[in-house]
Amino acid sequence: MPDSPSRYTRLLAWLDRRLLRRLYTDRVRRLILQSFPFWFASVVVGGVAVGYERLFAWAEQLSFAWLRHEPLLAFGLTPLAFLVSWVLVQQLAPAARGSGIPQVMAGIELSTPSRHPRVGYLLSLRVAFVKVLSSVALLLGGGVIGREGPTIQISAAIFRAINRLQPAGWPQLSRQIALVTGGAAGLAAAFNTPLGGIVFVVEELTQLHMARFRMAVFSAVIIAGLTAQTFLGPYLYLDFPKVTAHVGWILATVALVAVVCGLAGALFAKTLLWLGSFRKRFASFGQQAGWVLGCGLLMAGLAYLVGQEGVGTGKPIINRLLFANDGQTPWYLFPARFAGMALSYSGGGAGGVFATSLSAGAILGDGLCRLGAVPLEDRNLLILVSMVSFLTGVVRSPFTAAILVLEMTDRHSAIFQLLLSGLMAQAVASLIDPHSLYEHLKVSFMRETLDQPAPKSAARPERPELIDSAEQH
């Protein structure tokens, strides 16, 4: 009997080893090793997204302050900010201009064995750094931009960098999965919308079968979102607006608002494409600088006439319309924001259209409600519908738009109305252009990237066999 405890201990140890061997197989070990760099990248992305958000909020509040106290400064500061933002991009990283989502889409498509070294032109850490500097400079001067698209490009660049730093013998996921996962993690951290990040991948970033990268995307979205929540708390991007989700007659109003806002979003996208095409007439540095200063001066005039609601991301406007709507929003605010968005994007600096499109949709929806004498208690639903519809008209991702707005507000009672509005906006926007703004810009960025000199040193060769077989089921 004295040795019975030792026998019992040995038996437990033997059972533990057997159980461990059954659970910790080579396949499981390989999957963990593959996923660990992405988990680390997700933590980094969550922290960077929080820092970028706070920097953006600081820049926006500073722009509000100087515009409120000295409106005439707009005619000096705004053109200067446009010029600085453009020069940073032009001289340091041309691929940092604009939103960032088309660059990620182009990078995913170029992630093939023969072309992957060129992706660095679109998604390097240098591009990410310039993206931050350029967008903050533009916002300080009163630009009408958002940070969500830039966050996605920055996140994809971080994932790409960490994927490239792995040792040669380390089990690796493909470069394409790294970029897809980085984009999803960036959107989830930017908006605190994990489902939106997942749907965005499926609908916008890639046409690949979801099973190929589902574990990487799911885990990255969760980790990046939790990291952001560690610093910001479990916040909602737009808090809890009161929404009465009627059925019946109001569905006709929902459909009408969706059609109008979807068409407006599609027209905005066409406007950006037309301005981008027109700008190509100016070839020299001096001509380009003149164009940028002209955009800045026009934006300064808008800022001076409209005030602080004419500049910035537009998030304060959405909050005012949803939580303190007095029905007195001036009629000219939507055309002023529309023009400000177009001027800011066409100035050639860095800045996205995601958040600004949501605010433009909210303003247009509120105007339609006042035009139709919709009762105040029913306006919030139609404002959310207009946000989904305008964004869908621009980016042609109806489910992403609906899920984003749903997660931003936690108004699950309105899910069917939001989905319906997204689908209707998609249908009418396709009448204006069958392709989204991002699809047009993706083709342009791919062409621009392939025109660059080939990198002298190619990175490690693509090894598709490193994709874990578990990702195929």
Side-chain angles (χ1 to χ4, degrees):
M1 294 299 295
D3 61 341
S4 58
S6 61
R7 289 180 184 175
Y8 182 68
T9 302
R10 288 197 298 271
L11 177 62
L12 285 178
W14 180 78
L15 288 173
D16 285 344
R17 286 195 298 271
R18 289 288 300 271
L19 184 62
L20 185 62
R21 281 197 297 270
R22 290 179 66 87
L23 293 176
Y24 191 65
T25 61
D26 288 341
R27 184 165 170 269
V28 172
R29 174 179 172 274
R30 184 185 186 85
L31 180 60
I32 292 173
L33 289 176
Q34 283 180 327
S35 301
F36 181 78
F38 280 18
W39 295 341
F40 174 73
S42 301
V43 173
V44 175
V45 162
V48 169
V50 169
Y52 190 33
E53 187 273 336
R54 290 180 173 172
L55 188 60
F56 231 67
W58 167 80
E60 185 173 40
Q61 290 304 314
L62 195 59
S63 70
F64 289 166
W66 67 254
L67 186 58
R68 185 167 54 248
H69 291 102
E70 295 291 342
L72 282 173
L73 283 177
F75 293 99
L77 290 181
T78 302
L80 178 62
F82 270 61
L83 188 64
V84 169
S85 179
W86 171 72
V87 168
L88 283 170
V89 166
Q90 180 75 10
Q91 298 300 314
L92 299 178
R97 69 184 183 274
S99 165
I101 295 175
Q103 292 91 314
V104 176
M105 295 169 65
I108 291 170
E109 196 153 331
L110 291 172
S111 292
T112 61
S114 61
R115 301 187 293 186
H116 71 82
R118 296 178 177 270
V119 176
Y121 175 78
L122 298 168
L123 300 170
S124 67
L125 292 180
R126 176 175 178 167
V127 170
F129 183 68
V130 172
K131 194 86 174 182
V132 173
L133 292 180
S134 177
S135 59
V136 170
L138 187 57
L139 191 63
L140 279 169
V144 185
I145 57 171
R147 62 177 170 84
E148 290 71 28
T151 302
I152 291 171
Q153 186 179 13
I154 292 166
S155 301
I158 291 172
F159 269 73
R160 175 181 175 271
I162 291 177
N163 190 44
R164 284 164 52 86
L165 289 174
Q166 295 176 59
W170 193 287
Q172 295 161 336
L173 294 171
S174 73
R175 297 179 184 85
Q176 198 172 51
I177 292 177
L179 301 185
V180 168
T181 307
L187 184 64
F191 278 124
N192 190 32
T193 51
L195 292 179
I198 293 169
V199 175
F200 176 69
V201 165
V202 177
E203 195 172 27
E204 189 70 67
L205 285 189
T206 179
Q207 302 299 317
L208 297 174
H209 195 278
M210 183 65 179
R212 192 179 161 200
F213 48 85
R214 62 187 175 192
M215 288 303 295
V217 169
F218 288 3
S219 60
V221 162
I222 292 168
I223 294 170
L226 288 175
T227 302
Q229 285 190 0
T230 300
F231 295 99
L232 301 176
Y235 70 99
L236 288 177
Y237 188 84
L238 294 175
D239 215 338
F240 297 93
K242 184 178 180 181
V243 172
T244 305
H246 297 296
V247 294
W249 68 269
I250 202 169
L251 290 181
T253 309
V254 167
L256 179 61
V257 169
V259 167
V260 173
C261 293
L263 288 172
L267 287 172
F268 173 66
K270 292 292 284 186
T271 300
L272 293 188
L273 293 171
W274 179 83
L275 287 171
S277 177
F278 183 81
R279 180 180 175 172
K280 292 178 180 177
R281 301 181 181 185
F282 306 106
S284 69
F285 183 88
Q287 290 174 330
Q288 288 281 325
W291 169 272
V292 173
L293 287 172
C295 289
L297 281 171
L298 290 174
M299 186 67 235
L302 286 175
Y304 178 78
L305 293 172
V306 178
Q308 69 181 51
E309 287 202 332
V311 304
T313 64
K315 183 180 176 181
I317 300 175
I318 301 175
N319 282 322
R320 178 175 63 77
L321 292 176
L322 290 175
F323 299 102
N325 194 346
D326 59 2
Q328 300 299 316
T329 301
W331 65 267
Y332 54 79
L333 187 56
F334 174 75
R337 294 283 303 182
F338 188 104
M341 291 158 59
L343 291 169
S344 300
Y345 194 91
S346 302
V353 297
F354 236 84
T356 54
S357 293
L358 291 173
S359 63
I363 298 166
L364 180 57
D366 179 67
L368 293 173
C369 287
R370 287 191 287 119
L371 188 64
V374 175
L376 277 174
E377 59 269 20
D378 293 327
R379 289 189 186 180
N380 276 2
L381 172 63
L382 295 176
I383 288 173
L384 296 183
V385 163
S386 64
M387 291 165 62
V388 171
S389 304
F390 191 92
L391 182 61
T392 298
V394 177
V395 304
R396 309 298 170 81
S397 302
F399 297 111
T400 299
I403 296 301
L404 280 177
V405 172
L406 173 68
E407 288 191 283
M408 287 176 190
T409 58
D410 198 23
R411 301 294 84 180
H412 296 83
S413 60
I415 181 61
F416 294 111
Q417 289 85 349
L418 298 181
L419 289 171
L420 173 64
S421 63
L423 289 175
M424 296 202 67
Q426 170 80 357
V428 297
S430 297
L431 298 177
I432 294 181
D433 192 332
H435 303 290
S436 73
L437 170 68
Y438 291 158
E439 289 172 323
H440 284 292
L441 296 177
K442 179 196 76 171
V443 173
S444 176
F445 275 111
M446 286 183 64
R447 189 180 300 116
E448 179 181 324
T449 302
L450 293 173
D451 286 342
Q452 302 301 312
K456 294 181 180 179
S457 58
R460 59 177 171 84
E462 186 72 56
R463 295 172 61 188
E465 72 275 12
L466 292 175
I467 302 173
D468 190 87
S469 60
E471 296 289 335
Q472 309 295 336
H473 303 288

